[in-house]
Amino acid sequence: MKVLVLGTSHAATLRRAFPAIAAAYPGLSLCFWGLPSAAFAKAAVGADGQLRPDPEDAISRRKAAEWNGQDSIDLAPFDRILLVGLRYGLRPILQMMRSLQPLEWGRRRGALGVSKGFLQAAIRADIKASLRGQNSRTPFDARFVALPAPYPATIVLEPGELYQPVTRAVAGQKSAADLMEIYEAELARAHAAVGISFVPQPRETIAQPWLSLPDHLEDAARDARHMNADYGLIAFDAIASHCPDLSGQRLQPPARPGGFATA
C-alpha cells in the first residue's frame, strides 16, 4: 500500500518518524513531498497530474529539490494521501476570538458582544476559504486525509522571542475549550463537505486548549511550533485510526498515554 505524506514544513514531523512508522506498519510504502508553507500555498497539480511549486518562484523550486530530491510528484500512484500541516487561517481566527465574545457566554471586558452563531459563521467562512484554495491547487478525492498544523507549545505564553500574545489571550479565556471545540468542529464540517477526512491534533499531545505539550517540540530553544519524531508517530497513529486500510497494517495497537481531554 503506497502512502504519500504531503504538506508544509509541519509534515516533516512524520518524515522524522518514518523509521518508527515503517517498523509499526511494515506493509506500507511511505513517500514524502513537502514545501515551506508559503511555497506549498502556491504549489499546484498540473494537467499531467504532477504537483509542482510555482514555476515562477525559483526559491520554491530549489526548496522542492532540496527537501524532496525531486521538484514534482505524481499523485496518481498513491493509495492514501496524508495532507499535513495546513493552518486554515488560524491567526486571523484567533484574533477574531480575542476580539469577539458570544453573548450567550456572558460579557468579557474589552470584547465586542456577538451571537455565538455569528462567531461560528465567521470561523466557518475563513476555514472554507482556506480549504477551497487548497482544493483548487491539489484537487481532493477520497484518498485524502487532513491533519492540521499542531497548536504552538505552552512556551509561547512566556516572555521572549517565542511569545504569542494573541494565543495567550485566547488560551487564557474561560471559554478557551469551548472555542477550540467550535473551531475543530468547523474544520471537520468543512472537510466533510469536500469529501475528505479530517483528523484533529491527537489529544495526548495537547497541554490545554490551543496549546501543545512542549515535550514534543523538535527545537524548543528556537521554535514553538514544529514537532519531533515522537509526535510524528502519534500523529500517524491518529490518522490510521480514522482509516481502516491503514490501521489494519499496524503490527500491534499503539500506546494511549493520557493528555488533554475535551470532556
Side-chain angles (χ1 to χ4, degrees), residues 7-13 16 32 34-37 67 84-85 225-226:
T8 71
S9 58
H10 292 288
T13 186
R16 296 183 186 106
F32 173 91
L35 285 170
S37 58
W67 284 23
V84 179
R225 298 189 300 121
H226 290 86

Side-chain angles (χ1 to χ4, degrees), residues 96-242:
M96 180 168 53
M97 289 178 173
R98 179 178 64 172
S99 302
L100 303 180
Q101 170 73 2
L103 293 170
E104 295 91 333
W105 297 349
R107 299 283 182 177
R108 178 165 54 85
R109 187 175 179 181
L112 175 65
V114 298
S115 71
K116 181 181 175 182
F118 178 92
L119 181 61
Q120 288 175 306
I123 294 169
R124 186 178 307 143
D126 280 1
I127 291 172
K128 285 179 66 175
S130 174
L131 199 56
R132 187 184 307 117
Q134 188 63 51
N135 194 12
S136 70
R137 296 186 297 274
T138 54
F140 299 146
D141 57 48
R143 296 174 299 162
F144 279 77
V145 184
L147 178 84
Y151 298 118
T154 51
I155 59 176
V156 302
L157 303 180
E158 303 165 6
E161 293 183 0
L162 302 179
Y163 178 58
Q164 294 184 12
V166 175
T167 302
R168 178 172 180 170
V170 175
Q173 293 182 28
K174 292 181 179 179
S175 56
D178 295 317
L179 290 169
M180 193 175 86
E181 184 177 352
I182 289 172
Y183 171 68
E184 291 188 344
E186 293 299 336
L187 283 174
R189 182 200 303 263
H191 286 79
V194 295
I196 67 173
S197 299
F198 169 74
V199 179
Q201 180 173 339
R203 303 297 92 171
E204 60 265 39
T205 68
I206 296 178
Q208 66 186 76
W210 303 105
L211 295 163
S212 296
L213 290 164
D215 307 15
H216 296 296
L217 288 173
E218 175 68 10
D219 185 357
R222 298 190 302 173
D223 186 344
R225 298 189 300 121
H226 290 86
M227 301 297 172
N228 59 22
D230 289 341
Y231 179 95
L233 179 58
I234 294 171
F236 192 90
D237 282 336
I239 293 170
S241 71
H242 283 71

